[in-house]
Amino acid sequence: MYGVCRQFSLLYISLFQLLHFPIDKFTLVSLPRHIFARYICANQTHFNIDFYEFCSDEYYKKKFKFDDTDKAYFMNLSYSQIMSSYKHNLGLSLFPLPSSSNNNALLKAKQLFEEAITLDPHSARNYFNYALLLEKYCANDDE
C-alpha cells in the first residue's frame, strides 16, 4: 500500500483549504518511504496527522530510524514541494507497469514529471523517475 499516505496527506491539505483554514498552517512532511500532514500552531508547536491519528515526532524517529542530524527528512515542505509531490505521484500512476505501451499516458506522465521538476528542482526522486520514464518512452519510439 505504498503511496496511500501521500494521497491521504494531500486529501487532508485539500480539505483544510476547502474549510478555509489558513493554508500556511498546514504542510506535508517527507520521510523515507512515508509522508504525513502537519498542522503548525501559532506558537510554532505542531501536530502530525497520519491517516486517522496524531503521532509525535519521536514516534516517527523511532519507526523510521533516523535522528535530528539527518537534515534531508522531517522538514516542512513548501507549497511548491507539495505540488511537485502531487504531480510526481500522478506521473507515476500513468506508467506503473513495465508492459505499458500507451503513448498518450507516457506523454502525459512526461509532462507531469517535467512540471514536478520545475516545482522542486532539488528532488532526486523526480529526476530518477523522469529518467525511468524517458527510458521507457524512448524504447517505445524505437518500435
Short mmCIF file of all heavy atoms in Angstrom, two decimals, residues 68-135:
data_model
loop_
_atom_site.label_atom_id
_atom_site.label_comp_id
_atom_site.label_asym_id
_atom_site.label_seq_id
_atom_site.Cartn_x
_atom_site.Cartn_y
_atom_site.Cartn_z
N ASP A 68 17.89 13.80 14.49
CA ASP A 68 17.89 15.20 14.08
C ASP A 68 19.09 15.57 13.19
O ASP A 68 19.10 16.65 12.61
CB ASP A 68 17.88 16.12 15.31
CG ASP A 68 16.55 16.02 16.05
OD1 ASP A 68 15.51 15.78 15.39
OD2 ASP A 68 16.55 16.18 17.28
N THR A 69 20.09 14.72 13.10
CA THR A 69 21.25 15.04 12.27
C THR A 69 20.96 14.81 10.79
O THR A 69 21.68 15.33 9.94
CB THR A 69 22.48 14.19 12.68
OG1 THR A 69 22.18 12.81 12.49
CG2 THR A 69 22.86 14.46 14.12
N ASP A 70 19.93 14.04 10.47
CA ASP A 70 19.58 13.79 9.07
C ASP A 70 18.69 14.93 8.58
O ASP A 70 17.49 14.93 8.79
CB ASP A 70 18.87 12.44 8.94
CG ASP A 70 18.70 12.03 7.49
OD1 ASP A 70 18.98 12.85 6.59
OD2 ASP A 70 18.29 10.88 7.26
N LYS A 71 19.29 15.90 7.92
CA LYS A 71 18.58 17.11 7.50
C LYS A 71 17.75 16.91 6.23
O LYS A 71 16.99 17.79 5.85
CB LYS A 71 19.57 18.25 7.29
CG LYS A 71 20.38 18.60 8.52
CD LYS A 71 19.48 19.10 9.63
CE LYS A 71 20.31 19.48 10.85
NZ LYS A 71 19.56 19.64 12.04
N ALA A 72 17.89 15.78 5.57
CA ALA A 72 17.14 15.55 4.33
C ALA A 72 15.66 15.26 4.59
O ALA A 72 14.84 15.41 3.70
CB ALA A 72 17.76 14.40 3.55
N TYR A 73 15.35 14.84 5.81
CA TYR A 73 13.97 14.46 6.12
C TYR A 73 13.43 15.26 7.30
O TYR A 73 14.16 15.95 7.98
CB TYR A 73 13.89 12.96 6.44
CG TYR A 73 14.32 12.11 5.30
CD1 TYR A 73 15.54 11.45 5.32
CD2 TYR A 73 13.51 11.97 4.17
CE1 TYR A 73 15.93 10.66 4.25
CE2 TYR A 73 13.91 11.19 3.11
CZ TYR A 73 15.11 10.54 3.15
OH TYR A 73 15.50 9.77 2.10
N PHE A 74 12.14 15.15 7.49
CA PHE A 74 11.43 15.71 8.64
C PHE A 74 11.27 17.22 8.56
O PHE A 74 10.98 17.88 9.54
CB PHE A 74 12.12 15.31 9.95
CG PHE A 74 11.14 14.88 11.01
CD1 PHE A 74 10.36 13.77 10.83
CD2 PHE A 74 11.01 15.61 12.17
CE1 PHE A 74 9.45 13.38 11.79
CE2 PHE A 74 10.11 15.23 13.15
CZ PHE A 74 9.33 14.11 12.95
N MET A 75 11.44 17.77 7.38
CA MET A 75 11.25 19.21 7.19
C MET A 75 9.83 19.47 6.68
O MET A 75 9.26 18.64 5.97
CB MET A 75 12.26 19.74 6.18
CG MET A 75 13.69 19.59 6.61
SD MET A 75 14.87 20.29 5.41
CE MET A 75 14.33 19.61 3.87
N ASN A 76 9.30 20.63 7.03
CA ASN A 76 8.03 21.04 6.46
C ASN A 76 8.25 21.35 4.99
O ASN A 76 9.17 22.07 4.63
CB ASN A 76 7.52 22.30 7.16
CG ASN A 76 7.22 22.07 8.62
OD1 ASN A 76 6.95 20.95 9.04
ND2 ASN A 76 7.28 23.13 9.40
N LEU A 77 7.40 20.78 4.14
CA LEU A 77 7.52 21.03 2.70
C LEU A 77 6.86 22.36 2.35
O LEU A 77 5.84 22.73 2.93
CB LEU A 77 6.87 19.90 1.91
CG LEU A 77 7.44 18.49 2.10
CD1 LEU A 77 6.68 17.50 1.23
CD2 LEU A 77 8.92 18.46 1.78
N SER A 78 7.43 23.04 1.38
CA SER A 78 6.82 24.27 0.88
C SER A 78 5.64 23.91 -0.02
O SER A 78 5.48 22.75 -0.44
CB SER A 78 7.85 25.07 0.08
OG SER A 78 8.16 24.38 -1.12
N TYR A 79 4.82 24.90 -0.34
CA TYR A 79 3.69 24.66 -1.24
C TYR A 79 4.18 24.12 -2.58
O TYR A 79 3.59 23.20 -3.14
CB TYR A 79 2.90 25.96 -1.43
CG TYR A 79 1.69 25.78 -2.32
CD1 TYR A 79 0.54 25.15 -1.84
CD2 TYR A 79 1.71 26.21 -3.64
CE1 TYR A 79 -0.56 24.97 -2.65
CE2 TYR A 79 0.61 26.02 -4.45
CZ TYR A 79 -0.53 25.41 -3.96
OH TYR A 79 -1.61 25.22 -4.77
N SER A 80 5.28 24.67 -3.08
CA SER A 80 5.85 24.21 -4.35
C SER A 80 6.27 22.74 -4.27
O SER A 80 6.04 21.96 -5.19
CB SER A 80 7.04 25.10 -4.71
OG SER A 80 7.64 24.68 -5.89
N GLN A 81 6.87 22.34 -3.16
CA GLN A 81 7.28 20.95 -2.98
C GLN A 81 6.07 20.02 -2.87
O GLN A 81 6.10 18.90 -3.35
CB GLN A 81 8.17 20.82 -1.75
CG GLN A 81 9.53 21.45 -1.92
CD GLN A 81 10.28 21.55 -0.61
OE1 GLN A 81 9.72 21.90 0.42
NE2 GLN A 81 11.57 21.24 -0.66
N ILE A 82 5.01 20.50 -2.23
CA ILE A 82 3.78 19.70 -2.12
C ILE A 82 3.19 19.47 -3.51
O ILE A 82 2.82 18.35 -3.87
CB ILE A 82 2.77 20.39 -1.19
CG1 ILE A 82 3.27 20.35 0.26
CG2 ILE A 82 1.39 19.72 -1.29
CD1 ILE A 82 2.46 21.22 1.21
N MET A 83 3.11 20.54 -4.31
CA MET A 83 2.56 20.41 -5.66
C MET A 83 3.45 19.53 -6.53
O MET A 83 2.97 18.76 -7.35
CB MET A 83 2.36 21.79 -6.29
CG MET A 83 1.27 22.61 -5.61
SD MET A 83 -0.30 21.73 -5.40
CE MET A 83 -0.77 21.42 -7.08
N SER A 84 4.75 19.61 -6.33
CA SER A 84 5.68 18.75 -7.05
C SER A 84 5.41 17.29 -6.70
O SER A 84 5.38 16.42 -7.58
CB SER A 84 7.12 19.12 -6.70
OG SER A 84 8.02 18.19 -7.25
N SER A 85 5.22 17.02 -5.43
CA SER A 85 4.93 15.66 -4.97
C SER A 85 3.64 15.14 -5.60
O SER A 85 3.56 13.98 -6.03
CB SER A 85 4.82 15.66 -3.45
OG SER A 85 4.53 14.39 -2.97
N TYR A 86 2.63 16.00 -5.66
CA TYR A 86 1.35 15.62 -6.25
C TYR A 86 1.52 15.28 -7.74
O TYR A 86 1.06 14.24 -8.21
CB TYR A 86 0.37 16.79 -6.08
CG TYR A 86 -0.94 16.60 -6.79
CD1 TYR A 86 -1.86 15.65 -6.36
CD2 TYR A 86 -1.26 17.39 -7.88
CE1 TYR A 86 -3.06 15.48 -7.02
CE2 TYR A 86 -2.46 17.24 -8.54
CZ TYR A 86 -3.36 16.28 -8.11
OH TYR A 86 -4.53 16.12 -8.76
N LYS A 87 2.21 16.13 -8.49
CA LYS A 87 2.41 15.87 -9.93
C LYS A 87 3.28 14.64 -10.14
O LYS A 87 3.05 13.86 -11.07
CB LYS A 87 2.99 17.11 -10.60
CG LYS A 87 1.97 18.24 -10.68
CD LYS A 87 2.52 19.46 -11.33
CE LYS A 87 1.49 20.56 -11.34
NZ LYS A 87 0.52 20.43 -12.40
N HIS A 88 4.27 14.46 -9.28
CA HIS A 88 5.13 13.27 -9.36
C HIS A 88 4.30 12.00 -9.20
O HIS A 88 4.43 11.04 -9.95
CB HIS A 88 6.21 13.36 -8.28
CG HIS A 88 7.06 12.15 -8.20
ND1 HIS A 88 6.83 11.14 -7.30
CD2 HIS A 88 8.16 11.77 -8.91
CE1 HIS A 88 7.74 10.20 -7.46
NE2 HIS A 88 8.55 10.55 -8.42
N ASN A 89 3.40 12.01 -8.21
CA ASN A 89 2.55 10.84 -7.98
C ASN A 89 1.62 10.57 -9.16
O ASN A 89 1.41 9.42 -9.54
CB ASN A 89 1.72 11.02 -6.71
CG ASN A 89 2.20 10.13 -5.61
OD1 ASN A 89 3.39 9.85 -5.53
ND2 ASN A 89 1.30 9.70 -4.76
N LEU A 90 1.05 11.62 -9.73
CA LEU A 90 0.20 11.44 -10.91
C LEU A 90 1.01 10.84 -12.05
O LEU A 90 0.53 9.96 -12.77
CB LEU A 90 -0.41 12.78 -11.34
CG LEU A 90 -1.57 13.29 -10.53
CD1 LEU A 90 -2.02 14.66 -11.05
CD2 LEU A 90 -2.74 12.32 -10.57
N GLY A 91 2.21 11.34 -12.24
CA GLY A 91 3.07 10.80 -13.29
C GLY A 91 3.36 9.32 -13.08
O GLY A 91 3.30 8.52 -14.01
N LEU A 92 3.65 8.95 -11.84
CA LEU A 92 3.90 7.54 -11.52
C LEU A 92 2.68 6.67 -11.83
O LEU A 92 2.82 5.53 -12.29
CB LEU A 92 4.27 7.37 -10.05
CG LEU A 92 5.67 7.72 -9.63
CD1 LEU A 92 5.83 7.54 -8.13
CD2 LEU A 92 6.70 6.90 -10.38
N SER A 93 1.50 7.20 -11.59
CA SER A 93 0.28 6.41 -11.79
C SER A 93 0.02 6.13 -13.27
O SER A 93 -0.73 5.21 -13.59
CB SER A 93 -0.93 7.11 -11.18
OG SER A 93 -1.28 8.25 -11.94
N LEU A 94 0.66 6.87 -14.16
CA LEU A 94 0.41 6.70 -15.59
C LEU A 94 1.32 5.66 -16.25
O LEU A 94 1.08 5.28 -17.39
CB LEU A 94 0.54 8.04 -16.31
CG LEU A 94 -0.53 9.05 -15.94
CD1 LEU A 94 -0.22 10.40 -16.58
CD2 LEU A 94 -1.90 8.56 -16.36
N PHE A 95 2.34 5.22 -15.58
CA PHE A 95 3.17 4.15 -16.16
C PHE A 95 3.64 3.16 -15.11
O PHE A 95 4.80 2.87 -14.97
CB PHE A 95 4.34 4.73 -16.98
CG PHE A 95 5.51 5.22 -16.20
CD1 PHE A 95 6.70 4.51 -16.19
CD2 PHE A 95 5.44 6.40 -15.47
CE1 PHE A 95 7.80 4.96 -15.48
CE2 PHE A 95 6.55 6.86 -14.76
CZ PHE A 95 7.72 6.13 -14.76
N PRO A 96 2.71 2.54 -14.39
CA PRO A 96 3.13 1.63 -13.32
C PRO A 96 3.60 0.26 -13.81
O PRO A 96 4.32 -0.42 -13.09
CB PRO A 96 1.87 1.50 -12.47
CG PRO A 96 0.76 1.72 -13.44
CD PRO A 96 1.28 2.73 -14.43
N LEU A 97 3.20 -0.14 -14.98
CA LEU A 97 3.52 -1.49 -15.43
C LEU A 97 4.58 -1.47 -16.52
O LEU A 97 4.51 -0.66 -17.44
CB LEU A 97 2.26 -2.19 -15.96
CG LEU A 97 1.09 -2.28 -14.97
CD1 LEU A 97 -0.14 -2.84 -15.67
CD2 LEU A 97 1.47 -3.14 -13.79
N PRO A 98 5.55 -2.38 -16.47
CA PRO A 98 6.59 -2.42 -17.49
C PRO A 98 6.05 -2.65 -18.89
O PRO A 98 6.65 -2.23 -19.86
CB PRO A 98 7.48 -3.59 -17.06
CG PRO A 98 7.15 -3.85 -15.65
CD PRO A 98 5.76 -3.36 -15.42
N SER A 99 4.89 -3.28 -19.02
CA SER A 99 4.35 -3.58 -20.34
C SER A 99 3.52 -2.42 -20.92
O SER A 99 2.99 -2.53 -22.00
CB SER A 99 3.48 -4.83 -20.27
OG SER A 99 2.38 -4.60 -19.40
N SER A 100 3.43 -1.33 -20.19
CA SER A 100 2.63 -0.19 -20.66
C SER A 100 3.19 0.34 -21.97
O SER A 100 4.36 0.65 -22.09
CB SER A 100 2.62 0.92 -19.61
OG SER A 100 1.96 2.04 -20.12
N SER A 101 2.33 0.44 -22.97
CA SER A 101 2.77 0.98 -24.25
C SER A 101 1.83 2.08 -24.72
O SER A 101 1.78 2.40 -25.89
CB SER A 101 2.86 -0.13 -25.29
OG SER A 101 1.58 -0.70 -25.46
N ASN A 102 1.07 2.64 -23.80
CA ASN A 102 0.14 3.71 -24.13
C ASN A 102 0.91 5.02 -24.24
O ASN A 102 1.28 5.63 -23.25
CB ASN A 102 -0.95 3.79 -23.05
CG ASN A 102 -1.97 4.86 -23.35
OD1 ASN A 102 -1.76 5.76 -24.16
ND2 ASN A 102 -3.10 4.76 -22.68
N ASN A 103 1.17 5.47 -25.48
CA ASN A 103 1.98 6.67 -25.69
C ASN A 103 1.32 7.92 -25.12
O ASN A 103 2.02 8.81 -24.66
CB ASN A 103 2.28 6.86 -27.17
CG ASN A 103 3.44 5.99 -27.63
OD1 ASN A 103 4.24 5.54 -26.81
ND2 ASN A 103 3.52 5.74 -28.91
N ASN A 104 -0.01 8.02 -25.15
CA ASN A 104 -0.67 9.19 -24.58
C ASN A 104 -0.41 9.27 -23.08
O ASN A 104 -0.14 10.36 -22.54
CB ASN A 104 -2.18 9.15 -24.84
CG ASN A 104 -2.50 9.41 -26.30
OD1 ASN A 104 -1.72 10.03 -27.02
ND2 ASN A 104 -3.64 8.93 -26.74
N ALA A 105 -0.49 8.14 -22.40
CA ALA A 105 -0.22 8.12 -20.96
C ALA A 105 1.24 8.46 -20.69
O ALA A 105 1.55 9.20 -19.75
CB ALA A 105 -0.57 6.75 -20.37
N LEU A 106 2.15 7.94 -21.50
CA LEU A 106 3.57 8.23 -21.32
C LEU A 106 3.86 9.71 -21.55
O LEU A 106 4.64 10.32 -20.82
CB LEU A 106 4.41 7.36 -22.24
CG LEU A 106 4.45 5.88 -21.90
CD1 LEU A 106 5.15 5.09 -23.00
CD2 LEU A 106 5.12 5.65 -20.56
N LEU A 107 3.23 10.31 -22.57
CA LEU A 107 3.43 11.74 -22.83
C LEU A 107 2.89 12.58 -21.68
O LEU A 107 3.52 13.57 -21.28
CB LEU A 107 2.77 12.13 -24.15
CG LEU A 107 3.48 11.65 -25.42
CD1 LEU A 107 2.62 11.94 -26.65
CD2 LEU A 107 4.84 12.31 -25.55
N LYS A 108 1.73 12.21 -21.14
CA LYS A 108 1.17 12.94 -20.01
C LYS A 108 2.06 12.78 -18.78
O LYS A 108 2.31 13.75 -18.05
CB LYS A 108 -0.26 12.46 -19.72
CG LYS A 108 -0.94 13.20 -18.60
CD LYS A 108 -1.09 14.68 -18.92
CE LYS A 108 -1.80 15.41 -17.79
NZ LYS A 108 -1.82 16.85 -17.99
N ALA A 109 2.55 11.58 -18.54
CA ALA A 109 3.46 11.34 -17.41
C ALA A 109 4.73 12.17 -17.58
O ALA A 109 5.22 12.77 -16.61
CB ALA A 109 3.79 9.85 -17.30
N LYS A 110 5.25 12.23 -18.80
CA LYS A 110 6.45 13.05 -19.08
C LYS A 110 6.19 14.51 -18.73
O LYS A 110 7.00 15.16 -18.07
CB LYS A 110 6.83 12.90 -20.55
CG LYS A 110 8.06 13.67 -20.96
CD LYS A 110 8.36 13.40 -22.44
CE LYS A 110 9.59 14.13 -22.92
NZ LYS A 110 9.38 15.56 -23.11
N GLN A 111 5.04 15.02 -19.14
CA GLN A 111 4.67 16.41 -18.83
C GLN A 111 4.58 16.63 -17.31
O GLN A 111 5.08 17.62 -16.79
CB GLN A 111 3.34 16.75 -19.49
CG GLN A 111 2.82 18.12 -19.14
CD GLN A 111 1.39 18.34 -19.61
OE1 GLN A 111 0.82 17.54 -20.34
NE2 GLN A 111 0.81 19.44 -19.18
N LEU A 112 3.96 15.69 -16.61
CA LEU A 112 3.81 15.81 -15.16
C LEU A 112 5.16 15.79 -14.44
O LEU A 112 5.40 16.56 -13.51
CB LEU A 112 2.89 14.72 -14.62
CG LEU A 112 1.42 14.90 -14.96
CD1 LEU A 112 0.65 13.60 -14.74
CD2 LEU A 112 0.81 16.03 -14.14
N PHE A 113 6.07 14.90 -14.89
CA PHE A 113 7.40 14.86 -14.27
C PHE A 113 8.16 16.15 -14.54
O PHE A 113 8.88 16.65 -13.67
CB PHE A 113 8.21 13.66 -14.75
CG PHE A 113 7.82 12.39 -14.08
CD1 PHE A 113 7.49 11.28 -14.81
CD2 PHE A 113 7.81 12.28 -12.69
CE1 PHE A 113 7.13 10.09 -14.19
CE2 PHE A 113 7.46 11.10 -12.06
CZ PHE A 113 7.12 10.00 -12.82
N GLU A 114 8.03 16.70 -15.74
CA GLU A 114 8.70 17.96 -16.05
C GLU A 114 8.16 19.09 -15.16
O GLU A 114 8.93 19.92 -14.67
CB GLU A 114 8.54 18.30 -17.53
CG GLU A 114 9.37 17.38 -18.42
CD GLU A 114 9.03 17.48 -19.90
OE1 GLU A 114 8.02 18.14 -20.27
OE2 GLU A 114 9.77 16.88 -20.70
N GLU A 115 6.85 19.11 -14.94
CA GLU A 115 6.26 20.10 -14.04
C GLU A 115 6.73 19.89 -12.60
O GLU A 115 7.02 20.85 -11.89
CB GLU A 115 4.73 20.04 -14.11
CG GLU A 115 4.17 20.51 -15.44
CD GLU A 115 2.67 20.27 -15.59
OE1 GLU A 115 2.00 19.93 -14.59
OE2 GLU A 115 2.18 20.43 -16.72
N ALA A 116 6.82 18.63 -12.18
CA ALA A 116 7.30 18.32 -10.83
C ALA A 116 8.74 18.80 -10.65
O ALA A 116 9.09 19.37 -9.61
CB ALA A 116 7.19 16.82 -10.56
N ILE A 117 9.57 18.59 -11.65
CA ILE A 117 10.97 19.03 -11.59
C ILE A 117 11.06 20.55 -11.54
O ILE A 117 11.85 21.12 -10.77
CB ILE A 117 11.77 18.46 -12.77
CG1 ILE A 117 11.97 16.95 -12.57
CG2 ILE A 117 13.10 19.17 -12.95
CD1 ILE A 117 12.49 16.21 -13.78
N THR A 118 10.21 21.23 -12.31
CA THR A 118 10.20 22.70 -12.28
C THR A 118 9.80 23.21 -10.90
O THR A 118 10.39 24.16 -10.39
CB THR A 118 9.22 23.24 -13.35
OG1 THR A 118 9.66 22.80 -14.63
CG2 THR A 118 9.14 24.75 -13.32
N LEU A 119 8.82 22.56 -10.28
CA LEU A 119 8.35 22.98 -8.96
C LEU A 119 9.35 22.67 -7.85
O LEU A 119 9.44 23.40 -6.86
CB LEU A 119 7.01 22.31 -8.64
CG LEU A 119 5.82 22.84 -9.44
CD1 LEU A 119 4.65 21.88 -9.34
CD2 LEU A 119 5.44 24.22 -8.93
N ASP A 120 10.08 21.57 -7.98
CA ASP A 120 11.06 21.18 -6.96
C ASP A 120 12.30 20.61 -7.65
O ASP A 120 12.48 19.39 -7.74
CB ASP A 120 10.46 20.15 -6.00
CG ASP A 120 11.39 19.84 -4.83
OD1 ASP A 120 12.44 20.51 -4.68
OD2 ASP A 120 11.05 18.92 -4.05
N PRO A 121 13.18 21.50 -8.13
CA PRO A 121 14.35 21.04 -8.88
C PRO A 121 15.41 20.33 -8.04
O PRO A 121 16.36 19.79 -8.58
CB PRO A 121 14.91 22.35 -9.47
CG PRO A 121 14.40 23.43 -8.59
CD PRO A 121 13.08 22.95 -8.06
N HIS A 122 15.22 20.26 -6.72
CA HIS A 122 16.19 19.59 -5.85
C HIS A 122 15.75 18.18 -5.46
O HIS A 122 16.44 17.52 -4.69
CB HIS A 122 16.44 20.42 -4.59
CG HIS A 122 16.94 21.79 -4.90
ND1 HIS A 122 18.19 22.04 -5.40
CD2 HIS A 122 16.32 23.00 -4.82
CE1 HIS A 122 18.34 23.33 -5.61
NE2 HIS A 122 17.21 23.93 -5.26
N SER A 123 14.64 17.72 -5.99
CA SER A 123 14.12 16.39 -5.64
C SER A 123 14.75 15.32 -6.53
O SER A 123 14.46 15.24 -7.72
CB SER A 123 12.59 16.37 -5.79
OG SER A 123 12.13 15.05 -5.65
N ALA A 124 15.57 14.48 -5.92
CA ALA A 124 16.23 13.41 -6.68
C ALA A 124 15.21 12.41 -7.24
O ALA A 124 15.38 11.91 -8.35
CB ALA A 124 17.24 12.69 -5.79
N ARG A 125 14.14 12.13 -6.49
CA ARG A 125 13.17 11.14 -6.98
C ARG A 125 12.45 11.62 -8.22
O ARG A 125 12.09 10.82 -9.09
CB ARG A 125 12.19 10.74 -5.88
CG ARG A 125 11.19 11.77 -5.54
CD ARG A 125 10.33 11.36 -4.35
NE ARG A 125 9.59 12.51 -3.93
CZ ARG A 125 8.36 12.78 -4.36
NH1 ARG A 125 7.73 11.96 -5.14
NH2 ARG A 125 7.76 13.89 -3.98
N ASN A 126 12.25 12.95 -8.35
CA ASN A 126 11.65 13.47 -9.57
C ASN A 126 12.52 13.15 -10.78
O ASN A 126 12.03 12.69 -11.81
CB ASN A 126 11.43 14.99 -9.49
CG ASN A 126 10.28 15.37 -8.59
OD1 ASN A 126 9.44 14.54 -8.24
ND2 ASN A 126 10.22 16.63 -8.23
N TYR A 127 13.82 13.40 -10.66
CA TYR A 127 14.75 13.12 -11.76
C TYR A 127 14.87 11.63 -12.02
O TYR A 127 14.92 11.19 -13.18
CB TYR A 127 16.13 13.72 -11.47
CG TYR A 127 16.15 15.22 -11.53
CD1 TYR A 127 16.10 15.98 -10.36
CD2 TYR A 127 16.22 15.89 -12.74
CE1 TYR A 127 16.12 17.36 -10.41
CE2 TYR A 127 16.24 17.27 -12.80
CZ TYR A 127 16.19 18.00 -11.63
OH TYR A 127 16.21 19.37 -11.68
N PHE A 128 14.94 10.84 -10.96
CA PHE A 128 15.09 9.39 -11.12
C PHE A 128 13.91 8.79 -11.90
O PHE A 128 14.10 8.07 -12.87
CB PHE A 128 15.21 8.73 -9.74
CG PHE A 128 15.29 7.24 -9.80
CD1 PHE A 128 16.49 6.61 -10.14
CD2 PHE A 128 14.18 6.46 -9.53
CE1 PHE A 128 16.57 5.22 -10.20
CE2 PHE A 128 14.25 5.07 -9.60
CZ PHE A 128 15.45 4.46 -9.94
N ASN A 129 12.69 9.11 -11.47
CA ASN A 129 11.52 8.54 -12.15
C ASN A 129 11.31 9.14 -13.53
O ASN A 129 10.82 8.47 -14.43
CB ASN A 129 10.28 8.68 -11.27
CG ASN A 129 10.34 7.72 -10.11
OD1 ASN A 129 10.55 6.53 -10.27
ND2 ASN A 129 10.19 8.24 -8.90
N TYR A 130 11.71 10.39 -13.72
CA TYR A 130 11.66 11.00 -15.05
C TYR A 130 12.62 10.24 -15.98
O TYR A 130 12.27 9.95 -17.13
CB TYR A 130 12.04 12.48 -14.95
CG TYR A 130 11.99 13.23 -16.25
CD1 TYR A 130 10.79 13.34 -16.97
CD2 TYR A 130 13.10 13.89 -16.75
CE1 TYR A 130 10.74 14.05 -18.15
CE2 TYR A 130 13.05 14.61 -17.93
CZ TYR A 130 11.86 14.69 -18.63
OH TYR A 130 11.80 15.40 -19.80
N ALA A 131 13.79 9.90 -15.49
CA ALA A 131 14.75 9.13 -16.31
C ALA A 131 14.20 7.75 -16.65
O ALA A 131 14.35 7.28 -17.79
CB ALA A 131 16.08 9.00 -15.57
N LEU A 132 13.54 7.10 -15.70
CA LEU A 132 12.91 5.81 -15.99
C LEU A 132 11.84 5.95 -17.06
O LEU A 132 11.74 5.12 -17.96
CB LEU A 132 12.29 5.21 -14.72
CG LEU A 132 13.23 4.75 -13.64
CD1 LEU A 132 12.44 4.24 -12.43
CD2 LEU A 132 14.17 3.67 -14.15
N LEU A 133 11.06 7.01 -16.98
CA LEU A 133 10.03 7.26 -17.98
C LEU A 133 10.66 7.50 -19.35
O LEU A 133 10.20 6.97 -20.35
CB LEU A 133 9.17 8.45 -17.58
CG LEU A 133 8.15 8.82 -18.65
CD1 LEU A 133 6.78 8.32 -18.26
CD2 LEU A 133 8.16 10.28 -18.92
N LEU A 134 11.71 8.32 -19.40
CA LEU A 134 12.36 8.59 -20.68
C LEU A 134 12.92 7.32 -21.29
O LEU A 134 12.85 7.12 -22.51
CB LEU A 134 13.46 9.64 -20.52
CG LEU A 134 12.99 11.05 -20.21
CD1 LEU A 134 14.20 11.98 -20.04
CD2 LEU A 134 12.07 11.58 -21.31
N GLU A 135 13.45 6.45 -20.45
CA GLU A 135 13.97 5.18 -20.95
C GLU A 135 12.82 4.39 -21.58
O GLU A 135 12.95 3.84 -22.67
CB GLU A 135 14.60 4.39 -19.81
CG GLU A 135 15.13 3.04 -20.23
CD GLU A 135 15.72 2.30 -19.07
OE1 GLU A 135 15.05 2.16 -18.03
OE2 GLU A 135 16.86 1.84 -19.22
#
